Amino acid sequence: MRGLYVHIPFCVKKCRYCDFLSAPCGPEIRERYVDALVSEIRRRRDKTGKCQTVFIGGGTPSVLTAGQLEKVVTALRESFDVAEDAEFTAEANPESLTREKALAMRALGVNRLSIGFQSLSERALGILGRVHSSRQAVEAFYNGREAGFDNINVDLIFGIPGETGPEFRDTLERVISLSPEHVSAYSLIVEEGTALCDDIASARIPEPDDGQDREDYHFAVQALKAAGYCHYEISNFAKPGHESKHNLGYWEQREYFGFGPSAASFNGGRRYANVPDVTRYIETGGDPGFSEDDFLGEEELAKEFMMLGFRLTEGPDFGRFREKYSLDPFERFRESFDRLEGRGLIVKTEDRNRPFRLTPKGLDLANEVFREFV
Amino acid sequence: MDKQKNIRNFCIIAHIDHGKSTLADRILEKTGVLTSREMADQVLDNMDIERERGITIKAQSVRLNYKATDGIDYVFNLIDTPGHVDFNYEVSRSLAACEGAVLVVDASQGVEAQTLANVYQAIDHDLEVVPIINKIDLPSARPDAVKEEIENVIGIPAMDAPLVSAKVGIGIEDVLEAIVKNVPPPSGDPEGPLKALIFDSYYDAYRGVVIYVRIKDGSVKKGDAIKLMSTGAEYQITELGYLKPGFKVPSDALYAGEVGYIAASIKNIQDARVGDTVTTAEAGAEEPLPGYKEVQPMVFCGMYPIDGGDYEALRDALGKLQLNDAALKFEPETSQALGFGFRCGFLGLLHFEIVQERLSREYEIDLIATTPSVIYRIHKMNGEVVILDNPTNMPNPAEIDYMEEPVVKASVMTPAEYVGNIMELTSERRGTFINMDYIETDRVVLTYEIPLNEVIYDYFDSLKSRTRGYASLDYELSGYKRSNLVKLDIYLNGEIVDALSFIVHADKAYARGRKIAEKLKETIPRQQFEVPIQAMIGGKVIARETIRAYRKDVLAKCYGGDITRKKKLLEKQKEGKKRMREFGSVEVPQEAFLSVLKLG
């Protein structure tokens, strides 16, 4: 089982909180970029295993034209063994997800949309520096539905400085009423070097309040559960059977190929990432070299397995761990489990395969758990 | 005898920033040891710390050849000396190995407090003082006035002093000629029994302790059996020679008047004390050389390894540092909060910082240091006198009749316009004015008695900042004085942190307690629970702050492209936590301790 990821490093305008590799650019660059991307995909052709998931992310993939998307998808299908029933996600932002774009995506085989709402409060959208209105977000959602998408994710952000609890609850309730199959609700992380970070440093907007952040999070967990979503990862909620297979692949330490600048690939023992530089990527015809290239030993992989596995609310899969590694997870990590259990961050379960999971406190302080495994 | 006649052993003394190291570099360049292109800036300051701070800490010595205008080839031994007031003792070590001292005086700044202190030291050692006027290229230079100042204030002839700009390279040859002419050649007995003064030493992993010596009488050659006179320990010389900048040149023998190094597989650090005399094992000298006055540390604090497993390594490292840092003293102690460590004695706070930095850089030991303390005398009701260098051991206040603290006599030399600022600063620091002398129409020396406790923190820095860098300071311990002192304790989450306790004058306790509590609040990261910080005297809380609890510590996103980056972030956080100490389950970073003690 493997996944394919394609990075589209373009957007209409850089959001104030965003630290991903993405920037606005003209049509000519986009065209040349797509050519480089296609070269990289063809160069790395590999049909030794079936690909169960494809994910086109960004940036904003919906800024590409239908023709450009088609070139990319064709290259993927020709160079990799993409399963008939693969989960095929494309990210989209409200300002560029027209009904036509949605239909074109659908025609290319995309069967899951991930729409970046972030908020339905105009004030919060302004602070985040989003280019769309809340109304456009809802329209984009309907465009997706009308184009036939029956698996849609909505991305939300909470803990936005200056946003009140009622504002977030209103956003969430309106999203629930749209009934998407999947909701990702992210606690805002103010990353260094972003415009938002400067705004806070210069006191143009207040410091995020982590009390409010947790209140929002706890509300989201409870409201989404009540609406029939299962909380399967720290920030992710899905109606039964609609968990993101692609993202589960990351947390279950499965193989993935990443294409485009900054995209990472993992083959089970080695993780490497393309140099995060769009110009260089284009100039080298999609072969910019690696900015990281780590060969991971069993010990390190085993720890990483736990670090990623604890993101899942059911906890890491010990059965799979034993299949992959010669270590016994209990023996290897006994001290860590004891310490974390003693501090009330994880708890024992009835499930033999997944014997530990995060407690509610562990969900708020999960980094303390992850730090045990780095 | 001929050989001896052509040797000149000298050091360079100067007030800090008057250009001593630059001059030394120019002399190296002029004598062909280095071409200017090869020369890294300030060759003699070869510890990283020295380069970064632009100060000389350790004495360095180097041998140079100079063909003078009289046609004779001279051998120069230049011994560089430190300039900061904390390191005066190093100066005296260098002086004992020389016959002359080049006195560098800044052409615009003139004579300063340390210039005087250094000159008097040199004169005490019977050295010939050769004044030179540096920085004559600056527009503000007033060489004639400075010459007059040297004659009037110091009382040595200066009218023929070379006018130099070490920076630009003017007048360097005049300096070399003045050295040839004015510094007397060494006068020891080349045929007598060996007497060599150890003026420095360091530990080398392959050669054992390597000692730097000045041969006063006799000679010594490779293979000789030598005796270190204070312990009687005997060793066989495996290598000897002289010193060039950055490396050693082995030779067959060292003769009276020469300066060089000796390696003799000396494994026991205690055997090679600076100030001791080396003689031959057979037919050696009867009497050692006078040696050095033992330096007394004035400031004490506890040093604890962050990682308890480093305790032995710390002991070892302190021993090695002590080899060429005679003023550093240490003995084991334990703290409730910090575990096993050492009570260490220093000359001042700069000395303390240097030692701490060297331990971290050269030995990779991370430390927590407790608040520095001077030595107090406590007179108890029962007549007993307790000598206290660790606030933790302070007796119960009810048993105390009165306390005394050390005071220093400080001279501050300054342009007259800053007298008001200095008076204000010094009275804030509980200084008592003694007198004021005009050395020129617009320059004065202020003499004060100040509690040492007030001087060791940031008095020097404050003095500099309130006089735009013009004032200079020198001080010496002058005795003990009765004082109204109290012990201030810091509590974190209800538990005392013994390492942060200190003794302070009652009038200042409130302000300092409040400052410390504020600083701790800034530097201790938020914890999972609310943490009260209290400053207390006896049972009474005099200041209180609260660190709010954090409620969120979670990476919201972690997908394929993020995993490496997120892992690195978590690793960094974990490293940070390792460097913290737990007090009553509160994690306190090392920086918190440092920032508190920097508050002064």
Side-chain angles (χ1 to χ4, degrees):
Chain A
M1 167 144 174
R2 51 172 65 161
L4 303 175
Y5 175 81
V6 178
H7 191 65
I8 308 297
F10 305 124
C11 46
V12 173
K13 177 182 155 245
K14 183 95 177 164
C15 300
R16 302 188 75 73
Y17 61 93
C18 173
D19 77 330
F20 286 114
L21 181 73
S22 182
C25 75
E28 194 226 356
I29 299 278
R30 288 202 291 264
E31 191 61 40
R32 290 175 60 200
Y33 176 75
V34 168
D35 291 342
L37 196 54
V38 167
S39 305
E40 187 194 2
I41 294 167
R42 295 202 191 282
R43 178 171 57 79
R44 294 176 59 193
R45 176 188 165 92
D46 184 332
K47 294 206 173 186
T48 56
K50 260 218 176 343
C51 301
Q52 308 291 354
T53 66
V54 179
F55 197 106
I56 302 181
T60 309
S62 50
V63 302
L64 294 189
T65 63
Q68 286 166 337
L69 283 169
E70 187 181 358
K71 278 194 195 171
V72 174
V73 172
T74 306
L76 284 174
R77 289 196 197 282
E78 284 175 7
S79 309
F80 292 86
D81 185 4
V82 179
E84 280 293 309
D85 60 347
E87 174 193 276
F88 192 160
T89 309
E91 285 184 332
N93 274 329
E95 68 278 2
S96 50
L97 188 65
T98 57
R99 196 152 162 266
E100 293 66 37
K101 188 68 66 65
L103 279 168
M105 284 179 168
R106 191 84 198 130
L108 288 171
V110 175
N111 54 27
R112 183 172 180 270
L113 277 183
S114 176
I115 308 176
F117 274 38
Q118 316 313 354
S119 177
L120 291 177
S121 142
E122 295 305 329
R123 212 161 62 85
L125 289 171
I127 292 168
L128 295 176
R130 301 288 291 180
V131 294
H132 58 84
S133 64
S134 62
R135 198 180 135 165
Q136 277 176 300
V138 173
E139 277 171 14
F141 183 85
Y142 285 124
N143 288 341
R145 279 285 191 249
E146 282 165 23
F149 283 98
D150 57 2
N151 192 359
I152 300 182
N153 167 58
V154 166
D155 271 350
L156 293 178
I157 294 178
F158 58 83
I160 299 165
E163 187 189 47
T164 62
E167 279 174 294
F168 174 70
R169 290 201 286 275
D170 177 61
T171 289
L172 188 72
E173 275 156 10
R174 285 164 66 194
V175 167
I176 289 173
S177 73
L178 293 173
S179 199
E181 284 65 36
H182 192 283
V183 175
S184 298
Y186 299 112
S187 166
L188 176 72
I189 309 280
V190 180
E191 301 280 0
E192 261 178 59
T194 58
L196 184 70
C197 187
D198 296 344
D199 288 344
I200 291 168
S202 57
R204 277 193 291 274
I205 61 171
E207 294 255 356
D209 170 351
D210 65 359
Q212 183 62 51
D213 178 287
R214 286 301 98 182
E215 212 174 274
D216 292 349
Y217 181 64
H218 299 154
F219 177 79
V221 169
Q222 174 244 319
L224 286 161
K225 278 183 180 169
Y229 293 85
C230 72
H231 181 199
Y232 71 101
E233 194 257 3
I234 290 172
S235 309
N236 286 285
F237 304 82
K239 290 198 174 159
H242 288 86
E243 294 83 3
S244 163
K245 291 196 189 79
H246 184 81
N247 289 337
L248 278 170
Y250 295 132
W251 303 317
E252 291 174 348
Q253 217 178 40
R254 299 187 192 273
E255 279 183 32
Y256 48 90
F257 288 76
F259 305 99
S262 83
S265 305
F266 176 69
N267 70 2
R270 174 181 174 212
R271 189 170 37 241
Y272 48 101
N274 286 336
V275 171
D277 182 331
V278 178
T279 312
R280 175 158 162 185
Y281 186 82
I282 292 173
E283 280 167 2
T284 57
D287 193 2
F290 301 137
S291 61
E292 59 177 81
D293 189 1
D294 296 328
F295 289 83
L296 306 169
E298 184 170 89
E299 170 71 15
E300 200 166 345
L301 286 168
K303 286 198 291 189
E304 201 176 288
F305 186 98
M306 290 297 166
M307 178 192 108
L308 294 167
F310 270 113
R311 295 196 67 87
L312 301 171
T313 52
E314 289 191 322
D317 182 342
F318 279 35
R320 230 177 89 71
F321 184 95
R322 289 196 185 91
E323 281 166 29
K324 282 173 79 91
Y325 306 112
S326 54
L327 304 163
D328 180 76
F330 282 106
E331 245 171 62
R332 172 59 188 83
F333 298 116
R334 178 175 312 278
E335 273 179 34
S336 294
F337 295 143
D338 285 351
R339 195 160 36 230
L340 294 171
E341 209 185 342
R343 292 174 57 195
L345 297 164
I346 64 171
V347 67
K348 284 206 181 76
T349 71
E350 304 285 295
D351 186 342
R352 270 188 48 230
N353 262 341
R354 296 178 186 269
F356 293 106
R357 61 174 168 79
L358 295 180
T359 59
K361 179 178 168 189
L363 285 167
D364 292 336
L365 306 172
N367 288 352
E368 301 206 13
V369 177
F370 303 152
R371 279 192 291 264
E372 279 292 332
F373 304 105
V374 295
Chain B
M1 275 315 276
D2 258 13
K3 208 171 169 136
Q4 216 168 318
K5 212 172 66 196
N6 298 337
I7 295 177
R8 296 293 181 273
N9 295 320
F10 66 97
C11 56
I12 306 177
I13 53 179
H15 184 77
I16 193 162
D17 285 342
H18 279 199
K20 182 167 51 65
S21 297
T22 315
L23 177 67
D25 289 347
R26 283 293 172 190
I27 291 177
L28 299 192
E29 191 191 282
K30 252 300 182 273
T31 53
V33 176
L34 298 160
T35 66
S36 38
R37 270 197 311 148
E38 285 169 341
M39 199 171 76
D41 275 344
Q42 309 209 335
V43 173
L44 289 188
D45 287 346
N46 64 10
M47 274 200 280
D48 287 348
I49 306 171
E50 293 182 320
R51 282 164 190 262
E52 281 166 27
R53 296 182 182 232
I55 56 172
T56 307
I57 301 159
K58 288 298 307 158
Q60 298 281 336
S61 96
V62 44
R63 174 162 163 163
L64 316 161
N65 299 309
Y66 176 62
K67 194 181 182 77
T69 48
D70 60 14
I72 298 172
D73 287 313
Y74 289 88
V75 170
F76 281 6
N77 285 300
L78 159 59
I79 295 161
D80 197 18
T81 59
H84 191 278
V85 59
D86 265 16
F87 295 100
N88 269 341
Y89 72 103
E90 285 275 353
V91 176
S92 100
R93 287 163 58 176
S94 312
L95 296 179
C98 303
E99 279 77 37
V102 172
L103 170 69
V104 182
V105 183
D106 184 307
S108 30
Q109 308 275 359
V111 173
E112 306 217 40
Q114 268 175 266
T115 320
L116 273 183
N118 289 342
V119 168
Y120 292 146
Q121 259 185 315
I123 292 171
D124 280 349
H125 282 83
D126 290 329
L127 300 200
E128 189 61 38
V129 177
V130 181
I132 71 142
I133 315 293
N134 192 23
K135 303 198 186 179
I136 56 153
D137 59 307
L138 295 185
S140 54
R142 41 182 188 98
D144 292 331
V146 169
K147 280 182 184 175
E148 239 173 84
E149 204 175 294
I150 295 174
E151 297 207 334
N152 295 340
V153 179
I154 306 179
I156 56 170
M159 280 312 147
D160 296 333
L163 300 182
V164 178
S165 165
K167 196 174 124 213
V168 184
I170 301 169
I172 309 301
E173 256 175 71
D174 298 342
V175 176
L176 298 172
E177 288 298 322
I179 292 167
V180 169
K181 204 169 110 211
N182 298 331
V183 175
S187 61
D189 175 4
E191 307 302 328
L194 173 68
K195 276 188 186 179
L197 177 71
I198 305 181
F199 66 90
D200 204 354
S201 65
Y202 73 98
Y203 188 83
D204 180 294
Y206 303 104
R207 292 185 265 212
V209 179
V210 176
I211 53 176
Y212 289 178
V213 292
R214 159 67 199 272
I215 314 284
K216 293 280 188 181
D217 296 327
S219 62
V220 62
K221 60 183 190 303
K222 194 173 164 181
D224 279 357
I226 50 164
K227 184 163 84 177
L228 298 151
M229 293 186 75
S230 69
T231 59
E234 294 186 8
Y235 293 95
Q236 192 168 17
I237 296 181
T238 53
E239 186 186 323
L240 54 69
Y242 49 88
L243 304 146
K244 292 274 178 184
F247 61 96
K248 298 180 174 55
V249 181
S251 67
D252 297 329
L254 290 171
Y255 301 96
E258 291 193 315
V259 173
Y261 71 95
I262 294 176
S265 302
I266 302 172
K267 291 286 175 265
N268 187 355
I269 291 175
Q270 307 309 324
D271 282 346
R273 278 194 217 142
V274 167
D276 196 5
T277 302
V278 182
T279 189
T280 43
E282 275 176 45
E286 299 285 320
E287 288 290 315
L289 295 161
Y292 299 116
K293 192 169 77 180
E294 186 151 353
V295 269
Q296 293 302 330
M298 298 206 264
V299 179
F300 290 80
C301 73
M303 286 191 146
Y304 292 83
I306 302 243
D307 176 352
D310 281 345
Y311 177 77
E312 283 304 324
L314 177 58
R315 179 202 299 277
D316 198 43
L318 284 168
K320 285 176 184 164
L321 287 185
Q322 199 179 37
L323 255 187
N324 57 11
D325 187 349
L328 172 65
K329 297 279 186 304
F330 65 95
E331 59 183 56
E333 74 165 5
T334 53
S335 148
Q336 278 174 334
L338 302 172
F340 292 99
F342 296 92
R343 192 83 194 153
C344 301
F346 306 96
L347 293 165
L349 268 202
L350 179 64
H351 184 208
F352 155 71
E353 278 178 41
I354 300 285
V355 168
Q356 190 176 25
E357 255 181 77
R358 290 188 66 187
L359 286 169
S360 150
R361 289 187 194 195
E362 295 169 31
Y363 299 92
E364 291 177 356
I365 300 172
D366 284 328
L367 296 169
I368 290 183
T370 65
T371 317
S373 172
V374 298
I375 303 178
Y376 296 97
R377 281 191 199 150
I378 300 176
H379 296 260
K380 292 169 70 171
M381 294 293 190
N382 62 11
E384 197 189 329
V385 179
V386 178
I387 302 295
L388 186 79
D389 68 21
N390 184 347
T392 312
N393 302 332
M394 176 136 150
N396 183 336
E399 296 172 19
I400 298 173
D401 182 5
Y402 66 95
M403 288 174 70
E404 289 180 305
E405 64 177 329
V407 289
V408 298
K409 192 178 147 203
S411 352
V412 179
M413 201 174 277
T414 177
E417 56 181 302
Y418 299 115
V419 166
N421 291 358
I422 292 171
M423 288 194 159
E424 193 187 332
L425 168 70
T426 312
S427 104
E428 282 166 22
R429 302 301 158 97
R430 300 191 284 130
T432 313
F433 175 76
I434 299 175
N435 64 20
M436 177 161 87
D437 279 332
Y438 276 85
I439 47 172
E440 277 181 290
T441 47
D442 58 349
R443 272 163 67 82
V444 300
V445 183
L446 291 159
T447 312
Y448 274 97
E449 185 179 79
I450 314 176
L452 176 61
N453 188 20
E454 301 285 344
V455 176
I456 58 168
Y457 291 106
D458 60 347
Y459 181 72
F460 184 61
D461 292 340
S462 309
L463 192 64
K464 283 281 177 197
S465 71
R466 293 203 200 179
T467 61
R468 298 155 144 237
Y470 280 112
S472 59
L473 167 73
D474 194 68
Y475 62 83
E476 58 183 0
L477 202 61
S478 62
Y480 273 77
K481 214 175 165 184
R482 191 164 165 160
S483 183
N484 182 12
L485 302 162
V486 293
K487 180 175 166 233
L488 186 69
D489 295 313
I490 302 294
Y491 286 73
L492 274 183
N493 207 24
E495 280 192 37
I496 186 167
V497 182
D498 60 0
L500 289 177
S501 295
F502 59 93
I503 290 167
V504 61
H505 192 266
D507 294 350
K508 298 193 151 190
Y510 181 79
R512 272 198 67 193
R514 202 177 45 200
K515 246 161 94 183
I516 288 178
E518 283 167 7
K519 198 71 189 175
L520 285 172
K521 184 183 177 183
E522 264 173 46
T523 47
I524 298 175
R526 290 162 67 191
Q527 318 266 321
Q528 273 185 48
F529 42 85
E530 197 173 276
V531 179
I533 304 167
Q534 294 158 302
M536 292 176 62
I537 297 174
K540 193 173 150 234
V541 177
I542 60 161
R544 186 195 154 106
E545 293 283 343
T546 307
I547 304 170
R548 278 195 307 140
Y550 69 76
R551 296 183 53 196
K552 170 185 119 172
D553 182 12
V554 53
L555 293 166
K557 280 188 183 189
C558 188
Y559 299 109
D562 285 338
I563 294 172
T564 306
R565 201 162 57 108
K566 297 282 157 75
K567 248 170 80 176
K568 281 191 184 137
L569 179 70
L570 292 165
E571 271 163 19
K572 209 170 127 198
Q573 292 168 347
K574 192 171 181 174
E575 265 322 294
K577 282 189 181 277
K578 268 197 207 146
R579 294 163 58 91
M580 295 197 206
R581 280 275 178 170
E582 272 200 25
F583 296 97
S585 69
V586 180
E587 288 176 327
V588 183
Q590 201 184 356
E591 296 75 51
F593 288 92
L594 289 177
S595 66
V596 165
L597 76 88
K598 283 225 165 100
L599 277 181

